[in-house]
Amino acid sequence: MRINTALILCAGFGKRLNPITLNTPKPLLEIKDVSMLERCINLIKKLGIQKILINTFYLKDQFSVFLNSKNFNIDIKIIEDGEHILDTGGGIQNMIKDSNEKDFMIFNPDTIWSNDYKDEILKMEKMYFSEKLENILLLVNKKFSFDKKLKGDFNLKNKLINKEADKEFIFIGCQIINKKLFIKEKIENYSILEIWNNLLDQKKLFGYESQKDFYHLTDLDIFKKLKDL
């Protein structure tokens, strides 16, 4: 079994990077002349995934211009959030509503993705299918985070995610999830955290630990530091 479709979440306002995101959406910001979105797409191609869906809202027209200027040689489709921004949960549900696929790999382009993640993500995908899971999140110990201000989101023990005691692990923006977990009757603005928290309550939220250094485009200060690396 393999994932055929990846989603990239590109609808956000990127307010923590104002003023540069007043004119350029966060996923199109460049580190060493390569945009965050392009890095993400290149990794998805390396993973052997066949199709990419990108959701847009803020400064949405720039994404079409960007994609038309590139030759990524992979099926990429833009799906707009619509009149109102849908947040992560609503945005994902809107992207997958018409798909016949059951399982999707989802990326946040806030992370500086590289081909170094390929093997880990493929192992995470293998675990997802071999253990018949409905969700799995890629996590890293916060000691590997370039941005030392980032706090942990979760704990990870025996492949299960929990929020007990010290939160040592950060979600780094890649997950696999089954369509059936999106149970809202209508598409509306809500966070993926709603689904995660429900799974946490059931002790059914799973994680895979990355061993890579984690670079995340958090704010303007971190952006400037990353450009100097």
Side-chain angles (χ1 to χ4, degrees), residues 162-179:
N162 66 73
K163 280 193 170 183
E164 298 164 6
D166 295 329
K167 298 171 184 174
E168 296 292 329
F169 289 87
I170 299 170
F171 170 61
I172 62 174
C174 177
Q175 63 180 309
I176 303 173
I177 198 162
N178 188 284
K179 187 176 187 177

Side-chain angles (χ1 to χ4, degrees), residues 127-147:
M127 175 179 157
Y128 178 86
F129 286 114
S130 64
E131 301 192 18
K132 296 181 172 58
L133 305 180
E134 293 179 349
N135 67 86
I136 192 165
L137 279 59
L138 188 61
L139 307 177
V140 70
N141 192 297
K142 60 186 180 183
K143 68 184 180 184
F144 288 110
S145 177
F146 176 76
D147 184 355

Side-chain angles (χ1 to χ4, degrees), residues 20 32 42 72 74 84 113 119-120 125 127 130 133 136 152 171 173 184-185 204 209-210:
I20 56 174
K32 300 192 184 306
N42 288 338
F72 285 115
I74 185 173
H84 306 284
W113 294 109
D119 289 344
E120 287 185 341
E125 180 189 48
M127 175 179 157
S130 64
L133 305 180
I136 192 165
F171 170 61
K184 288 186 181 284
E185 291 185 10
K204 290 183 178 180
E209 183 176 356
S210 169

Side-chain angles (χ1 to χ4, degrees), residues 51-98:
K51 184 175 183 178
I52 298 174
L53 303 179
I54 297 174
N55 77 320
T56 62
F57 180 79
Y58 177 64
L59 299 175
K60 61 184 181 181
D61 294 343
Q62 292 192 29
F63 291 95
S64 297
V65 172
F66 169 77
L67 292 173
N68 288 335
S69 73
K70 301 286 183 177
N71 180 23
F72 285 115
N73 198 27
I74 185 173
D75 183 4
I76 301 177
K77 183 179 180 181
I78 291 175
I79 297 180
E80 297 179 8
D81 273 14
E83 292 184 10
H84 306 284
I85 196 166
L86 294 171
D87 205 341
T88 49
I92 293 167
Q93 186 176 347
N94 186 50
M95 281 193 277
I96 66 178
K97 68 180 188 299
D98 297 324

Side-chain angles (χ1 to χ4, degrees), residues 2-117:
R2 290 298 315 276
I3 298 288
N4 295 314
T5 301
L7 318 180
I8 308 177
L9 303 174
C10 291
F13 293 101
K15 291 179 179 178
R16 285 177 294 182
L17 280 119
N18 282 352
I20 56 174
T21 46
L22 294 176
N23 298 307
T24 304
K26 188 174 178 181
L28 296 184
L29 294 179
E30 295 183 349
I31 302 287
K32 300 192 184 306
D33 300 321
V34 184
S35 72
M36 303 294 286
L37 177 56
E38 184 167 352
R39 293 172 185 274
C40 190
I41 292 171
N42 288 338
L43 173 58
I44 291 169
K45 288 177 62 178
K46 286 286 186 182
L47 292 168
I49 290 171
Q50 304 299 312
K51 184 175 183 178
I52 298 174
L53 303 179
I54 297 174
N55 77 320
T56 62
F57 180 79
Y58 177 64
L59 299 175
K60 61 184 181 181
D61 294 343
Q62 292 192 29
F63 291 95
S64 297
V65 172
F66 169 77
L67 292 173
N68 288 335
S69 73
K70 301 286 183 177
N71 180 23
F72 285 115
N73 198 27
I74 185 173
D75 183 4
I76 301 177
K77 183 179 180 181
I78 291 175
I79 297 180
E80 297 179 8
D81 273 14
E83 292 184 10
H84 306 284
I85 196 166
L86 294 171
D87 205 341
T88 49
I92 293 167
Q93 186 176 347
N94 186 50
M95 281 193 277
I96 66 178
K97 68 180 188 299
D98 297 324
S99 175
N100 294 322
E101 302 283 339
K102 293 181 179 178
D103 305 288
F104 299 88
M105 190 175 292
I106 304 168
F107 287 88
N108 298 352
D110 300 17
T111 296
I112 299 183
W113 294 109
S114 72
N115 294 338
D116 291 343
Y117 281 103

